[in-house]
Amino acid sequence: EVQLVESGGGVVKPGGSLRLSCAASGFTFANAWMNWVRQAPGKGLEWVGHIRSRTDGGTADCAAPLEGRFTLSRDDSKNTLYLQINSLKTEDTAIYYCVSPSGYLGQGTLVTVSS
Amino acid sequence: QAVVTQEPSLTVSPGGTVTLTCGSNTGAVTSGHYAYWFQQKPGQAPRTLIYDTNNKHSWTPARFSGSLLGGKAALTLSGAQPEDEAEYYCLLSYVGSRVFGGGTKLTVL
């Protein structure tokens, strides 16, 4: 059974940093292109970024408005996906979900940016 | 960045059929866009109904199907049920990015 468990969310002040994690199981994580998506309160879904499998280069892309502040990484030995967010802004307040290639989502982790 | 468009809202009668579409400003949507369809009900996390244009999950009701139609990705609901009332989002893949549509609010009435 595929499981994705996000963690690392919380309340952070503007300008702060956070690292989100997504622990994956039930599929061959190392072969998977993994995604992060987010949903701000009352808003639609927004694609954050994806990271390729190591065999496909292991590189990551982020949505253009988020480049420079958001960094995706992965540890295939731990079956874990990460999202580093720096210089947090109030508009980054959202639930962050990791998504597998076949569309499994975790339960999400809430990031609240507030002074 | 590409722009993905969906109908803002649609209404279907119980037992009726409705097609939600997902278009791209870059041109026709093809299988290479690997369209996903997500369903989200109020207060719940989204869940994927369709991935890679027309693949279903074990939890996807048989009345939902994905396809390509008229240059767009399409989600067809045949035999709508009250519990299908929800927001539906499509996601398209491009070189180096993916983009969500703005969502379609589906009312079953």
Side-chain angles (χ1 to χ4, degrees), chain B residues 7-18:
Chain B
E7 299 86 0
S9 63
L10 290 170
T11 300
V12 62
S13 300
T17 296
V18 64

Side-chain angles (χ1 to χ4, degrees), chain A residues 33 35 37 39 43-47 50 52 61 63-65 97 99-107, chain B residues 1 36 38 40 44-48 51-52 57-59 89 91 94-102:
Chain A
W33 290 39
N35 292 265
V37 305
Q39 188 169 39
K43 303 294 186 182
L45 294 170
E46 180 184 12
W47 181 76
H50 65 199
R52 298 169 180 80
D61 297 302
Y97 301 94
V99 186
S100 77
S102 59
Y104 285 89
L105 288 87
Q107 84 291 347
Chain B
Q1 180 171 296
Y36 289 70
F38 296 81
Q40 188 174 33
Q44 297 184 16
R47 66 170 185 170
T48 306
Y51 65 99
D52 291 354
H57 279 288
S58 57
W59 57 78
Y89 297 93
L91 174 69
Y94 299 86
V95 175
S97 72
R98 303 184 191 211
V99 181
F100 276 101

Side-chain angles (χ1 to χ4, degrees), chain A residues 30-33 51-60 74:
Chain A
N31 293 344
W33 290 39
I51 184 165
R52 298 169 180 80
S53 62
R54 189 165 65 161
T55 55
D56 287 328
T59 54
R74 63 192 299 158

Side-chain angles (χ1 to χ4, degrees), chain A residues 4-94:
Chain A
L4 298 169
V5 180
E6 301 94 338
S7 60
V11 180
V12 187
K13 288 182 166 43
S17 297
L18 213 53
R19 188 176 82 156
L20 308 182
S21 301
C22 169
S25 60
F27 64 103
T28 307
F29 180 81
N31 293 344
W33 290 39
M34 294 296 296
N35 292 265
W36 285 100
V37 305
R38 70 180 183 178
Q39 188 169 39
K43 303 294 186 182
L45 294 170
E46 180 184 12
W47 181 76
V48 171
H50 65 199
I51 184 165
R52 298 169 180 80
S53 62
R54 189 165 65 161
T55 55
D56 287 328
T59 54
D61 297 302
C62 281
L66 307 180
E67 283 176 352
R69 296 193 301 119
F70 285 63
T71 304
L72 284 79
S73 60
R74 63 192 299 158
D75 185 337
D76 292 342
S77 69
K78 296 181 178 178
N79 285 356
T80 300
L81 173 71
Y82 301 102
L83 179 67
Q84 177 73 36
I85 313 174
N86 297 326
S87 303
L88 277 154
K89 304 177 181 182
T90 55
E91 53 263 41
D92 295 322
T93 294

